[in-house]
């Protein structure tokens, strides 16, 4: 099958490489010439474990190619995926669909015969209708299908998620488009991955409902963590105690500094806006958005409290900048708000992240970067674990303490047990652990 993937970012590139690995012939398109040039030279524009080898192998097998030229890739393709960004629109928080619609217009120009145009980007309910309208208006002569196939992969585990998904959701309005989509995912069908065929609007909403539910679960345990701190309970034990209940499940019950990343913040906000527009506000999600926004900055106050009430002139060392481990993605990372809050209070910041420093640099001012965790801690008045990279899970606490100006450890991911840290002479503050 010939497939064109429009947009070669975290989702487009991983999806394109995995679809090529299934045996399809895939061309990944991007507007960004630097990204395409890097890919054509075998360099990955993003950090995602295993991606370089997967791309190299499929390029070698001539199933995967990269180009800035959309036209030849779309002409003759049976499925054309739109995987461009849908960021929050400045000012009002609605999903910015300008990239999706621009891609649809370009695709319309390039189509030569029957093809299914598929939105893989996360898009609000009704976007597929508008994509179909754009395509039909531009090319009334063409026979096309328009489907929705939201992506559920997680950065950092993206390849495994794409190849072994919990489910695939396909929203199609006609049998012909559904059949093409079934063919795209046939290799997974054989693996018995559940494929749900739904209406297009249902598929679009399913993606937002999934992300909003996960964001709610995180926010719920974060609030329980705050309560634990006040009442002298332990949130990790509470999480285990409720998570073992199959109706609840143990995933997404890790208390932390608030959710961030390229999806949850923008998708929860977009769902809130859509629901308001339809006159059926989703009040739980509205509250989740508000609670999470306040939480990130509250983490700066937590660090300040751990430092005795002031960080003015103090050196605060941060371990981890990306919104989660195993990615270089800095979009809406909690570290950004935490650093801003600490700098506003007069702290000097030094940071280390295994993969995220390059993307962090343009987003942060006045931050020094260290080359590893120990160098970061040197001379610091407090060490703050913001992201739970594996490299931070087994640090030599004695060595850290010896180099720091003051032994204060603020562990926003509960990587260390308080008793352990205290035994090594640290003043320890975790999340939801009294
Ligand atoms: P991204 O910013 O990494 O990639 C988008 C790419 O599209 C960019 O490289 C951009 O240059 C390119 N682009 C924009 N307009 C184009 C056009 N007209 N033609 C060709 N290329 C174009 O974004 P992402 O993280 O891959 O997210 C893409 C979509 O997938 C979003 O809607 C997002 O919500 C959704 N999604 C993301 C994730 C994730 O973990 N990142 C997971 C599931 C769904």
């Amino acid at each position: 099958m010939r497939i064109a993937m429009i947009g070669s970012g975290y989702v487009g590139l991983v999806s394109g490489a995995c679809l090529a690995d299934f045996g399809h012939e895939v061309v990944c398109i991007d507007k960004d010439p630097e990204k395409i040039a890097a890919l054509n030279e075998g360099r990955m524009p993003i950090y995602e474990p295993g991606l370089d080898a997967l791309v190299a192998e499929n390029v070698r097998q001539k199933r995967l190619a990269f180009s800035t030229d959309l036209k030849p890739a779309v002409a003759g393709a049976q499925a054309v995926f739109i995987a461009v960004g849908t960021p929050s629109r400045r000012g009002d928080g609605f999903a910015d669909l300008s990239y999706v619609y621009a891609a649809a217009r370009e695709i319309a120009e390039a189509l030569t015969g029957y093809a299914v145009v598929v939105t893989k980007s996360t898009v609000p309910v009704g976007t597929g209708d508008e994509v179909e309208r754009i395509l039909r208006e531009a090319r009334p002569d063409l026979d096309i299908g328009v489907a929705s196939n939201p992506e559920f992969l997680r950065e950092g585990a993206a390849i495994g998620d794409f190849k072994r998904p919990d489910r695939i959701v396909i929203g199609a309005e006609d049998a012909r488009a559904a059949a093409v989509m079934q063919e795209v995912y046939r290799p997974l069908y054989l693996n018995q991955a559940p494929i749900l065929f739904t209406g297009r609007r249902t598929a679009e909403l399913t993606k937002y409902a999934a992300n909003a539910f996960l964001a709610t679960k995180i926010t719920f345990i974060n609030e329980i963590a705050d309560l634990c701190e006040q009442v002298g309970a332990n949130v990790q034990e509470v999480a285990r105690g409720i998570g073992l209940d199959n109706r609840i499940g143990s995933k997404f019950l890790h208390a932390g500094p608030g959710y961030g990343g390229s999806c949850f913040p923008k998708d929860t906000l977009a769902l809130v806006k859509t629901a308001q527009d339809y006159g059926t506000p989703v009040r739980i999600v509205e509250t989740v958005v508000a609670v999470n926004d306040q939480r990130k900055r509250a983490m700066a106050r937590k660090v300040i409290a751990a430092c005795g009430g002031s960080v003015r002139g103090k050196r605060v060392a941060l371990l981890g900048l990306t919104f989660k481990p195993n990615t270089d993605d800095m979009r809406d990372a909690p570290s950004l708000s935490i650093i801003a809050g600490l700098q506003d209070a007069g702290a000097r910041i030094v940071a280390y992240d295994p993969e995220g420093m390059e993307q962090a640099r343009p987003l942060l001012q006045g931050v020094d970067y260290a080359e590893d965790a120990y160098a970061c801690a040197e001379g610091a008045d407090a060490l703050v674990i913001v992201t739970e990279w594996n490299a931070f899970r087994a640090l030599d606490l004695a060595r850290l303490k010896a180099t720091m100006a003051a032994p204060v450890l603020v562990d926003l991911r509960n990587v260390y047990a308080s008793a352990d840290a205290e035994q090594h002479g640290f003043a320890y503050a975790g999340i939801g652990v009294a």
Side-chain angles (χ1 to χ4, degrees):
M1 212 173 178
R2 284 184 59 185
I3 293 174
M5 184 68 65
I6 314 303
S8 306
Y10 288 87
V11 165
L13 183 52
V14 170
S15 306
C18 289
L19 289 171
D21 211 44
F22 292 168
H24 300 306
E25 244 177 77
V26 182
V27 183
C28 287
I29 302 295
D30 206 285
K31 278 221 155 330
D32 181 346
E34 278 179 30
K35 229 172 229 188
I36 296 301
L39 285 163
N40 279 326
E41 287 163 17
R43 282 183 289 117
M44 296 303 104
I46 55 165
Y47 174 74
E48 179 61 43
L51 187 61
D52 43 3
L54 186 74
V55 166
E57 175 59 16
N58 284 283
V59 167
R60 204 174 62 79
Q61 299 282 353
K62 302 203 182 322
R63 290 190 297 250
L64 181 61
F66 305 101
S67 175
T68 51
D69 193 1
L70 180 143
K71 249 193 168 147
V74 167
Q78 286 118 306
V80 181
F81 283 87
I82 300 177
V84 301
T86 50
S88 284
R89 197 161 66 186
R90 252 172 222 279
D92 64 7
F94 279 91
D96 178 352
L97 295 172
S98 56
Y99 302 100
V100 172
Y101 295 151
R105 282 188 282 272
E106 285 180 67
I107 292 165
E109 298 289 308
L111 285 170
T112 53
Y114 181 78
V116 181
V117 177
V118 193
T119 43
K120 192 162 252 324
S121 301
T122 302
V123 294
V125 169
T127 305
D129 302 355
E130 182 61 13
V131 166
E132 180 161 2
R133 196 193 62 73
I134 290 170
L135 292 168
R136 293 202 187 286
E137 194 175 278
R139 296 290 301 279
D141 56 310
L142 274 183
D143 195 11
I144 43 153
V146 175
S148 161
N149 170 218
E151 183 50 57
F152 297 98
L153 64 76
R154 296 163 300 168
E155 286 175 19
I159 294 168
D161 284 352
F162 194 93
K163 289 189 166 181
R164 289 176 296 280
D166 290 343
R167 79 310 206 180
I168 296 156
V169 175
I170 291 168
E173 296 297 313
D174 63 276
R176 194 174 176 195
V180 169
M181 293 306 293
Q182 181 151 352
E183 193 53 27
V184 168
Y185 285 106
R186 201 169 47 87
L188 290 182
Y189 216 70
L190 301 175
N191 288 352
Q192 300 190 324
I195 304 194
L196 270 70
F197 286 94
T198 69
R200 209 161 53 200
R201 287 180 161 241
T202 301
E204 288 169 339
L205 188 56
T206 302
K207 172 67 190 178
Y208 282 99
N211 274 0
F213 191 86
L214 293 171
T216 302
K217 209 170 168 190
I218 295 172
T219 305
F220 176 82
I221 202 68
N222 283 343
E223 286 204 314
I224 295 293
D226 291 349
L227 184 57
C228 282
E229 287 176 24
Q230 295 309 314
V231 302
N234 182 310
V235 75
Q236 285 172 301
E237 291 168 9
V238 173
R240 189 165 157 73
I242 61 173
L244 284 170
D245 185 328
N246 284 330
R247 294 168 301 176
I248 297 174
S250 58
K251 304 266 175 71
F252 276 72
L253 285 180
H254 302 287
Y259 61 77
S262 62
C263 291
F264 287 177
K266 81 171 172 63
D267 293 346
T268 44
L269 200 55
L271 179 62
V272 162
K273 296 294 173 181
T274 299
Q276 283 169 355
D277 264 7
Y278 281 86
T280 50
V282 283
R283 297 232 162 76
I284 291 175
V285 186
E286 286 177 9
T287 305
V288 164
V289 170
V291 169
N292 193 67
D293 274 352
Q294 289 157 23
R295 183 168 190 83
K296 294 188 205 171
R297 198 164 164 102
M299 292 301 112
R301 292 198 294 276
K302 189 178 181 74
V303 176
I304 295 167
C307 290
S310 170
V311 287
R312 187 152 303 280
K314 288 187 178 163
R315 187 174 170 85
V316 178
L318 259 69
L319 295 183
L321 293 169
T322 53
F323 78 99
K324 66 173 176 182
N326 295 327
T327 182
D328 58 348
D329 199 342
M330 281 297 299
R331 287 176 284 186
D332 262 318
S335 63
L336 299 172
S337 310
I338 297 170
I339 289 173
L342 290 170
Q343 286 177 328
D344 287 348
R348 290 176 296 128
I349 305 293
V350 55
Y352 169 69
D353 188 283
E355 294 291 341
M357 295 197 288
E358 200 181 309
Q359 290 208 17
R361 270 176 219 276
L363 303 174
L364 294 166
Q365 264 91 52
V367 170
D368 288 333
Y369 294 93
E371 60 189 29
D372 64 26
Y374 296 101
C376 189
E378 234 170 77
D381 296 282
L383 183 65
V384 187
I385 298 176
V386 182
T387 317
E388 69 281 29
W389 283 90
N390 274 342
F392 307 147
R393 285 185 180 275
L395 293 169
D396 181 341
L397 293 180
R399 183 175 160 198
L400 281 176
K401 182 173 179 263
T403 63
M404 289 177 65
V408 175
L409 178 59
V410 184
D411 182 358
L412 301 181
R413 301 287 182 174
N414 289 343
V415 173
Y416 291 91
S418 57
D420 245 13
E422 278 155 16
Q423 211 174 24
H424 282 91
F426 276 95
Y428 177 89
I431 297 281
V433 287

